[in-house]
Amino acid sequence: MQPALHLIPSSQARSQASVNRKEVTPARPKPYYQVVDGVPRCPLATPYLLREGLDYVPQKGELFQVSMNRLRTVLGVLIETTGGMAVGEVFLPGIALRVKELSVYRFEDGTFDDFLEAFLDGDLGYGDYFKHVVVGYSLKNEPNMFFVTYEELKKDTRGTVLTLARFIAERYGDMLENDRKDGQKLVDLIIERSAPDSMRDILVLNFAGHENTEVDQSLKKLNVSSKVAHGGDSKCHSFVRKAEVGGWKEYFSPNQLRRMEATIAKKTHGSDVMTLWPDIRHEALRICGGLE
């Protein structure tokens, strides 16, 4: 006996196929990171140096500046007394550009929106940004912590230099403030040497080699190159860009700002950290039309 042949109308067949077919959404591009001891880390980090740094016990009187990837909107400097940390925030578009420019991140074809999605999810090799800044902000009133926003630094650079000098040591504050002639010249020199045009040629990563054998071997294995090629050398990359306040408006769409604001509301709940930037928050909410 021949098997029965069942014919299914084409419209019904398409309907069943639609039900049975599993939709697979391609994964969005995201910057590459390595996993060291179960924790996502920057692909440029040398594991053994990273472990040494994590095991290091700060000594009394030591000065630390710690930032999440790229210092931009908050500078924190801490003098060690019994242990602690310093904090710095990031300039988001600046990081997005850097991961596109450096081959080690394998993100050449990624978009700013792809990066933003990974950033908001905390799915980068630098931990969750919002957790980082909330914890750092909670320490801002500690006696051994110096805390200032990038906007404040740009608005009153001279005043910030003087305050930071006195924070590090009273004698440095006296040196800059009490000696009107030489002190003022020294402050002018500090401001000149730390200006973007000066630092652009100083804060440069050289991927061609390193004096530390382990780091040198790691760099050669990674074979990192930079699209922007500082000084025309694809093995050199400068960290410094425009260093201007308000550059974020050139990158964020209203929809992206709404996603950013929703994540801020969720991940900074219970903290008043965002009161550091009332004008910027107001403008961002105006551009995106606020949250629903």
Side-chain angles (χ1 to χ4, degrees):
M1 179 182 296
Q2 293 183 344
L5 180 63
H6 299 280
L7 299 178
I8 302 176
S10 59
S11 60
Q12 184 179 346
R14 285 195 298 270
S15 177
Q16 288 186 4
S18 176
V19 171
N20 295 330
R21 185 174 63 247
K22 184 178 180 181
E23 297 290 343
V24 178
T25 303
R28 297 187 67 163
K30 65 179 179 181
Y32 170 76
Y33 56 76
Q34 62 177 320
V35 177
V36 180
D37 300 332
V39 180
R41 300 291 187 184
C42 169
L44 289 169
T46 305
Y48 99 92
L49 288 178
L50 178 64
R51 295 185 182 105
E52 282 191 355
L54 292 173
D55 290 339
Y56 180 73
V57 178
Q59 304 299 308
K60 183 177 180 179
E62 291 186 330
L63 188 68
F64 286 83
Q65 182 266 306
V66 180
S67 66
M68 181 173 175
N69 189 0
R70 180 187 174 97
L71 180 64
R72 179 58 172 85
T73 51
V74 167
L75 170 66
V77 178
L78 175 143
I79 296 179
E80 285 301 334
T81 52
T82 58
M85 64 171 288
V87 60
E89 282 192 41
V90 298
F91 178 43
L92 182 58
I95 304 175
L97 290 173
R98 193 180 81 183
V99 298
K100 281 182 65 66
E101 293 165 352
L102 294 180
S103 61
V104 71
Y105 289 99
R106 308 175 191 178
F107 194 65
E108 293 88 345
D109 298 326
T111 66
F112 177 68
D113 196 70
D114 292 329
F115 178 86
L116 179 63
E117 189 71 14
F119 176 83
L120 296 178
D121 288 341
D123 194 15
L124 297 172
Y126 305 97
D128 189 293
Y129 164 82
F130 299 97
K131 180 179 180 180
H132 169 85
V133 71
V134 168
V135 171
Y137 178 74
S138 70
L139 301 174
K140 69 182 180 66
N141 293 322
E142 294 296 319
N144 60 338
M145 170 69 81
F146 176 83
F147 194 94
V148 62
T149 67
Y150 185 76
E151 288 75 17
E152 292 170 338
L153 173 62
K154 292 288 285 186
K155 184 178 181 180
D156 184 14
T157 305
R158 180 174 295 274
T160 302
V161 169
L162 294 173
T163 305
L164 177 57
R166 191 166 294 283
F167 168 80
I168 295 174
E170 287 292 330
R171 66 180 185 278
Y172 295 141
D174 292 339
M175 183 189 304
L176 297 181
E177 293 187 72
N178 296 341
D179 189 333
R180 292 187 177 181
K181 184 178 179 181
D182 292 338
Q184 183 169 328
K185 287 183 179 179
L186 187 54
V187 173
D188 290 339
L189 182 62
I190 292 172
I191 294 175
E192 177 187 339
R193 295 288 177 84
S194 59
D197 287 343
S198 176
M199 297 302 293
R200 194 168 286 114
D201 292 324
I202 296 175
L203 290 178
V204 177
L205 283 175
N206 185 349
F207 299 113
H210 196 277
E211 60 184 13
N212 182 291
T213 303
E214 295 283 346
V215 176
D216 186 67
Q217 291 177 350
S218 178
L219 288 176
K220 286 180 169 55
K221 181 179 179 180
L222 291 171
N223 191 27
V224 186
S225 61
S226 169
K227 283 186 177 180
V228 292
H230 181 72
D233 187 346
S234 64
K235 288 296 183 181
C236 291
H237 184 85
S238 177
F239 274 103
V240 182
R241 296 183 183 279
K242 297 179 180 179
E244 296 176 349
V245 172
W248 59 272
K249 288 178 285 188
E250 301 175 16
Y251 298 90
F252 282 90
S253 69
N255 176 265
Q256 290 169 338
L257 284 175
R258 281 192 289 272
R259 288 156 55 196
M260 186 76 165
E261 286 294 332
T263 303
I264 288 173
K266 177 181 178 181
K267 293 193 174 183
T268 67
H269 180 72
S271 170
D272 64 346
V273 61
M274 298 310 295
T275 59
L276 289 170
W277 305 280
D279 295 340
I280 294 177
R281 292 295 306 290
H282 178 77
E283 186 169 9
L285 288 169
R286 179 187 63 78
I287 293 173
C288 73
L291 297 176
E292 296 180 356

